[in-house]
Amino acid sequence: MQHRIVSIVTGWGSGLGTGHVQRMASLASFLNRSKGISAFLVAGRKPDFLPFELHDCFLPSIKPGTGCIIRDMRDSSEEEMRELKKIGSVVTIDDRGPGRRMADAAIDLLPNPENRDHKKESFIYGYNFIDSLRKLNEEHIEKNLDALLYCGYKPAAETVDFIHSLIPRNKICAVLHGMETSIISGGMAISLSQSYAETILSARVLISHFGIALYEGYACGCRLVCVNPTGYHSQLADIAGNDIDAVNLGLLSEVDRGKAQEIISNLIDNPTADRIDPRAVCEKIEAGLERFYEDIKPYLDG
């Protein structure tokens, strides 16, 4: 039997960051290995932060024979949606553009400021996080890292320095950059030889802007703190705060350093747990992918 073809239209960089293509790479991998579907990613140039074995999934344009298009790159226009619907059914994700109402289905995985409704049980995590998590053999990971910073894809040095200044000096702090992690000690960055997922699992507190990394930290039992580059991110952090128990410090440019240090110190001293089981996190992630598949299943045949 011929496999159904799904084309996933997404992107990265240029204001989109890496979260959209990371989670759609997870979805494509899941559909390809578990559901008898041929899923492809249409996302411009191939991301250098995703592994080479995924590169065959990336195409320059929508695959001929596509029955369903999944679009994940924020606001759509009516014209764009009309063109996509000429090819097949369209499922759009976290879309606040005028084209949203023309899609066959509009799914919010992240909070929507307009209706404050989203399918948090169907959340999709990033490919690098999931791949790294599956490779762990440990039954439990000890939470022995006080604070972990994720400041975005290739952040400005001054941004990292400022957020790092919010961590009490007597605490152990690391910085995620790509798939690498560095411990900050005495003003020096020292490479940490553990995997991406293991680093997040071992952290007591994760500090990031609103985005997919924050949800990965939540899945790993981290206390969460948001420091946001824009009002849009801060608004979403406020809405999501109750779902993922995140403390929003507001805009990067307006953070009260003294108050932030006090909050972060208190969170470090009161972790959610002393250790965490990676297998339980994997089960939660797989359940979310299954639920998302059930959400889109009616549209997969075009």
Side-chain angles (χ1 to χ4, degrees), residues 226-257:
C226 301
V227 180
N228 296 291
T230 70
Y232 169 77
H233 289 84
S234 191
Q235 182 186 24
L236 292 179
D238 282 336
I239 297 169
N242 290 333
D243 283 346
I244 58 176
D245 195 22
V247 177
N248 183 18
L249 298 179
L251 293 175
L252 177 68
S253 59
E254 299 175 0
V255 170
D256 182 321
R257 193 194 304 261

Side-chain angles (χ1 to χ4, degrees), residues 147 149 151 159-171 173 205 207-208 225-228 249-252 254-266 268:
L149 313 183
C151 305
T159 299
V160 179
D161 289 344
F162 176 75
I163 297 178
H164 179 246
S165 75
L166 305 179
I167 310 300
R169 292 189 177 183
N170 64 335
K171 302 300 183 182
C173 177
V205 175
I207 304 169
S208 182
V225 177
C226 301
V227 180
N228 296 291
L249 298 179
L251 293 175
L252 177 68
E254 299 175 0
V255 170
D256 182 321
R257 193 194 304 261
K259 183 178 179 181
Q261 288 175 336
E262 182 180 346
I263 289 170
I264 292 168
S265 180
N266 181 61
I268 290 172

Side-chain angles (χ1 to χ4, degrees), residues 267-280:
L267 292 174
I268 290 172
D269 292 340
N270 294 278
T272 60
D274 294 324
R275 60 181 186 170
I276 190 163
D277 183 353
R279 296 166 300 181

Side-chain angles (χ1 to χ4, degrees), residues 10-28:
T10 187
W12 61 280
S14 303
L16 281 176
T18 62
H20 296 273
V21 72
Q22 279 276 6
R23 67 183 181 179
M24 289 300 100
S26 294
L27 178 61

Side-chain angles (χ1 to χ4, degrees), residues 166-244:
L166 305 179
I167 310 300
R169 292 189 177 183
N170 64 335
K171 302 300 183 182
I172 302 170
C173 177
V175 180
L176 277 174
H177 39 91
M179 290 295 286
E180 304 297 324
T181 310
S182 297
I183 288 281
I184 305 297
S185 177
M188 300 288 290
I190 304 167
S191 182
L192 186 64
S193 59
Q194 62 184 35
S195 70
Y196 179 82
E198 186 177 359
T199 303
I200 301 178
L201 286 160
S202 69
R204 293 180 166 212
V205 175
L206 173 67
I207 304 169
S208 182
H209 59 277
F210 182 81
I212 197 169
L214 213 62
Y215 283 82
E216 291 170 354
Y218 178 67
C220 290
C222 302
R223 296 286 193 188
L224 305 174
V225 177
C226 301
V227 180
N228 296 291
T230 70
Y232 169 77
H233 289 84
S234 191
Q235 182 186 24
L236 292 179
D238 282 336
I239 297 169
N242 290 333
D243 283 346
I244 58 176

